């Protein structure tokens, strides 16, 4: 299918033509301007055609040109300011975006845009008091631009080259749309520079934003804080302990007290920036403050990008178990900025591959093929060279595919009453390991061992053959993930697995496979089989 690499929309004077040309030149793509194409086909200038035939005739001709180019042009295409207001063009842009296209809304500083529009002249829509007309049109068009676009680029203070680079950066993003019963639709954006979307995801409603993060991601929280303050938000910087130590009722209570002191209302917002434990806690705080306020997740680890940040599970740990207290509360958006991976230590990156592999085992075998083909490079991940390495697009694809697996399950079952339980492959035993290790073991590593345990259960229950168990061990080991564990007793592990959220009364319930891409429930396996599987993963 031939379609534009990007479609640029925005108000008169926003710089659509100039920046579109700059972007096309940087990427080696052709460029088309809808107004120029329209004048060529009409055989006269737009002001003259407008004067002779009126706006309705002009919009019909514009519609035909835009829809034709959208279906046949493989470059950068800039639309006239009023084109997206035509219903047929809106439908065409929606279809283009749904097929993976990027509609870029250039949001320029109003004063700069009005000045450029006045200088340009030849704009029938600005006849009379040009500035007043521009403002009126902006009030009418801005909501429509935001509705039809899937990328917003703010250009205030940027040179044309810098703005064009920002546009290129943003169209390289992967976008996964999340919807379903009980879910207010939101997007997961995956790409270098995704944090730039923070103001657009938060919207104009919040005055105060609580930026919850850990000390270890200070560099990224500094960037987020700058973006938020530049957009006009009052930012409260809230630092929490790293990893699972930050996911406690004591930490949550401290944040509630601070939100109360600083006057956070129902219209304000929370941003969670950090690993999975941080985004879990931030979501829980947002879900419980005044019975629910807007929040955005900005995951900074591979594990958080592929798991904790998406799906609307929020929670804290208790001495009795992991994530036993929480709620289902979906974010306004998830911004997985690949730049944050550049500061990630190798071991923390590698543990995230456990959740990636899980998604391949339960739903998308292509993930497993990608992991196999790049195992050496993934295992040797080096954050310092990551952004300029051939590994970056591989990791971006793995993240997007894994998020799509999660969205497939979450969209159909937000509150984990059926299909979503399959996302817990490897988690029943994995969570038990985390508990017995007092959370010194990282989640992805525990899940890797949990998957081997689940594979052993499935083999001993006659669901899979030994080759698939061996494949679990060989693939996970090739990625640098553990496949065995030797601490704790069987009785202790059994007791903790009985507390698992999937358990029903006194009956153990596991997610296992009866083939790659086909998870099933295993209810109440024989005690002998559970014990033998436990012994099989002992290091």
């Amino acid at each position: 299918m031939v379609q534009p690499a990007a479609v640029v929309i925005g108000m008169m004077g926003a710089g659509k033509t100039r920046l579109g040309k700059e972007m096309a030149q940087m990427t080696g793509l052709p460029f088309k301007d809808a107004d120029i194409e329209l004048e060529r086909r009409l055989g006269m200038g737009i002001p003259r055609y407008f004067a002779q035939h009126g706006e309705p005739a002009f919009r019909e001709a514009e519609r035909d040109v835009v829809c034709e180019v959208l279906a046949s042009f493989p470059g950068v295409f800039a639309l006239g300011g009023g084109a997206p207001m035509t219903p047929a063009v809106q439908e065409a842009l929606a279809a283009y975006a749904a097929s993976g296209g990027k509609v870029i809304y250039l949001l320029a500083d109003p004063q700069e845009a009005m000045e450029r529009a006045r200088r340009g002249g030849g704009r029938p829509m600005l006849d009379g008091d040009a500035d007043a007309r521009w403002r009126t049109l902006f009030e009418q068009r801005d909501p429509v631009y935001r509705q039809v676009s899937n990328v917003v680029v703010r250009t205030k203070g940027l040179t044309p080259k810098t703005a064009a680079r920002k546009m290129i950066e943003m169209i390289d993003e992967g976008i996964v749309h999340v919807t379903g019963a009980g879910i207010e639709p939101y997007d997961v954006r995956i790409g270098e520079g995704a944090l730039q979307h923070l103001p657009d995801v938060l919207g104009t409603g919040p005055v105060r934003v609580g930026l919850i993060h850990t000390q270890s991601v200070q560099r990224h929280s500094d960037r987020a804080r700058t973006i938020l303050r530049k957009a006009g938000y009052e930012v409260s910087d809230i630092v929490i302990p790293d990893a699972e130590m930050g996911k406690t009722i004591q930490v949550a209570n401290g944040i509630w007290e601070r939100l109360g002191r600083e006057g956070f209302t129902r219209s304000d917002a929370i941003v969670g920036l950090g690993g999975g434990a941080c985004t879990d806690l931030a979501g829980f705080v947002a879900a419980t403050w005044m019975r629910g306020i807007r929040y955005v997740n900005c995951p900074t680890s591979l594990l958080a990008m592929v798991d904790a940040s998406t799906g609307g599970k929020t929670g804290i740990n208790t001495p009795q178990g992991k994530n036993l207290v929480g709620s289902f509360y979906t974010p306004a958006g998830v911004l997985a900025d690949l730049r944050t991976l550049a500061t990630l230590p190798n071991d923390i990156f590698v543990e995230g591959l456990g959740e990636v592999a899980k998604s391949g085992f339960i739903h998308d075998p292509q993930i497993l093929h990608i992991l196999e083909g790049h195992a050496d490079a993934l295992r040797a991940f080096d954050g310092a060279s990551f952004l300029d390495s051939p590994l970056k697009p591989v990791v971006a694809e793995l993240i997007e595919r894994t998020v799509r697996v999660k969205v497939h399950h979450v969209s159909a079952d937000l509150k984990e009453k059926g299909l979503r339980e399959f996302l817990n492959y490897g988690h029943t035993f994995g969570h038990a390991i985390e508990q017995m290790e007092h959370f010194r073991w990282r989640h992805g590593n525990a899940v890797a061992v949990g998957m081997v345990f689940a594979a052993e259960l499935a083999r001993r229950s006659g669901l899979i053959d030994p080759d698939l168990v061996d494949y679990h061990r060989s693939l996970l080991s090739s990625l640098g993930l553990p496949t065995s564990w030797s601490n704790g007793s069987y009785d202790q592990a059994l007791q903790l697995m009985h507390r698992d959220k999937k358990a029903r009364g006194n009956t153990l319930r596991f997610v296992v496979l009866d083939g790659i891409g086909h998870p099933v429930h295993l209810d109440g396996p024989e005690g002998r089989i559970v014990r033998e599987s436990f012994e099989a993963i002992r290091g």
Side-chain angles (χ1 to χ4, degrees):
M1 177 177 63
V2 176
Q3 64 178 25
V7 175
V8 186
I9 65 172
M11 283 295 293
M12 293 170 283
K16 299 184 294 294
T17 299
R18 183 176 184 182
L19 296 184
K21 283 181 177 177
E22 191 80 50
M23 179 184 181
Q25 186 175 1
M26 287 181 175
T27 54
L29 292 169
F31 173 77
K32 273 189 181 180
D33 184 297
D35 286 348
I36 294 173
E37 186 70 13
L38 183 56
E39 288 185 335
R40 184 182 67 79
R41 297 192 188 190
L42 294 174
M44 65 177 74
I46 287 174
R48 181 180 166 195
Y49 188 88
F50 216 94
Q52 291 183 5
H53 301 281
E55 185 178 359
F58 168 75
R59 294 301 178 197
E60 285 186 18
E62 181 183 55
R63 173 202 64 201
D64 293 342
V65 167
V66 169
C67 291
E68 181 182 321
V69 175
L70 279 175
S72 61
F73 179 62
V76 178
F77 184 33
L79 304 192
M85 304 302 290
T86 303
V89 173
Q90 293 173 17
E91 291 174 10
L93 288 173
Y96 164 73
S99 64
K102 301 297 171 66
V103 183
I104 302 174
Y105 172 20
L106 287 184
L107 188 56
D109 175 69
Q111 293 303 320
E112 293 175 2
M114 284 188 283
E115 184 182 342
R116 283 195 293 264
R118 286 194 305 271
R119 283 202 312 264
R123 300 180 188 272
M125 296 299 292
L126 295 184
D127 287 347
D129 185 336
D131 286 1
R133 287 284 296 149
W134 191 97
R135 291 190 188 95
T136 299
L137 288 170
F138 177 76
E139 290 178 5
Q140 296 169 356
R141 293 176 177 180
D142 176 66
V144 176
Y145 291 161
R146 291 180 183 275
Q147 181 182 346
V148 301
S149 64
N150 51 20
V151 176
V152 179
V153 176
R154 297 167 185 266
T155 62
K156 182 178 180 179
L158 301 181
T159 66
K161 284 189 180 297
T162 302
R165 277 196 293 270
K166 190 173 180 181
M167 293 162 69
I168 293 167
E169 199 173 74
M170 288 189 169
I171 69 164
D172 282 341
E173 291 176 351
I175 302 175
V176 181
H177 190 61
V178 187
T179 188
I183 299 174
E184 186 173 341
Y186 65 95
D187 289 330
V188 180
R189 294 179 176 272
I190 304 146
E192 195 173 343
L195 275 180
Q196 293 291 340
H197 293 291
L198 258 176
D200 303 302
V201 179
L202 285 168
T204 58
V207 172
R208 301 168 193 83
V209 175
L211 177 60
I212 299 175
H213 65 93
T214 58
Q215 191 65 48
S216 61
V217 297
Q218 189 68 49
R219 182 192 305 185
H220 309 306
S221 64
D222 288 346
R223 185 154 60 98
R225 192 181 312 106
T226 299
I227 292 168
L228 291 168
R229 286 181 174 158
K230 188 175 178 182
Y233 300 103
E234 296 176 16
V235 182
S236 296
D237 199 58
I238 302 171
V239 183
I240 64 170
D242 275 324
E244 301 296 329
M245 295 303 293
K247 244 177 95 171
T248 67
I249 189 65
Q250 291 80 11
V251 173
N253 187 58
I255 297 174
W256 290 324
E257 290 179 352
R258 182 162 173 188
L259 297 181
R261 287 196 307 269
E262 297 185 7
F264 270 67
T265 69
R266 184 168 285 174
S267 63
D268 293 321
I270 294 291
V271 171
L273 188 146
C278 178
T279 57
D280 276 358
L281 175 80
F284 181 66
V285 168
T288 50
W289 183 253
M290 293 196 169
R291 297 185 177 90
I293 63 174
R294 194 171 184 83
Y295 81 107
V296 179
N297 276 336
C298 301
T300 60
S301 69
L302 177 61
L303 181 71
M305 289 179 183
V306 300
D307 183 32
S309 63
T310 302
K313 272 189 180 180
T314 76
I316 56 174
N317 301 330
T318 67
Q320 289 71 40
K322 185 173 179 180
N323 297 326
L324 294 180
V325 176
S327 67
F328 293 97
Y329 190 64
T330 53
V334 177
L335 304 177
D337 193 328
L338 296 181
R339 287 180 186 171
T340 63
L341 298 182
T343 58
L344 212 60
N346 173 271
D347 61 332
I348 298 179
F349 175 85
V350 167
E351 69 130 343
L353 296 174
E355 285 284 353
V356 175
K358 176 207 75 178
S359 295
F361 280 121
I362 67 170
H363 190 74
D364 182 1
Q366 184 60 28
I367 289 175
L368 304 179
H369 298 322
I370 296 170
L371 291 173
E372 283 183 68
H374 298 89
D376 290 344
L378 290 165
R379 186 177 65 250
F381 172 85
D382 175 19
S385 60
F386 168 66
L387 293 175
D388 296 318
S389 74
L391 191 62
K392 185 178 81 169
V394 174
V395 172
E397 182 179 358
L398 286 170
I399 294 170
E400 184 171 344
R401 283 183 172 275
T402 305
V403 169
R404 289 191 184 281
V405 171
K406 183 151 193 177
V407 169
H408 167 76
H409 292 80
V410 169
S411 295
D413 178 24
L414 174 65
K415 297 193 174 179
E416 200 170 21
K417 295 180 178 178
L419 183 67
R420 184 170 181 165
E421 282 193 335
F422 291 142
L423 291 171
N424 289 310
Y425 184 55
H427 283 58
T428 300
F429 189 64
H431 282 166
I433 291 175
E434 290 179 90
Q435 281 283 107
M436 287 185 280
E437 292 285 356
H438 304 288
F439 299 110
R440 289 188 296 266
W441 261 55
R442 292 198 168 272
H443 177 72
N445 293 341
V447 167
V449 177
M451 286 190 285
V452 177
F453 173 80
E456 291 284 1
L457 270 178
R459 180 179 74 81
R460 285 169 168 76
S461 301
L463 295 171
I464 62 174
D465 59 34
D467 288 346
L468 185 48
V469 183
D470 292 342
Y471 179 60
H472 277 69
R473 284 194 169 92
S474 63
L475 176 65
L476 296 171
S477 296
S478 73
L479 296 169
L481 290 161
T483 57
S484 62
W485 175 77
S486 56
N487 291 345
S489 68
Y490 172 71
D491 289 339
Q492 189 180 9
L494 189 65
Q495 182 183 27
L496 288 168
M497 288 191 290
H498 270 290
R499 294 179 189 166
D500 183 78
K501 294 186 294 294
K502 293 182 299 304
R504 299 294 184 266
N506 291 321
T507 302
L508 284 174
R509 195 170 197 237
F510 295 94
V511 175
V512 298
L513 304 180
D514 64 8
I516 289 179
H518 196 247
V520 295
H521 285 115
L522 179 62
D523 293 334
E526 291 180 37
R528 172 186 59 82
I529 290 176
V530 178
R531 181 181 283 276
E532 288 176 358
S533 300
F534 176 82
E535 295 300 331
I537 57 87
R538 304 294 275 171

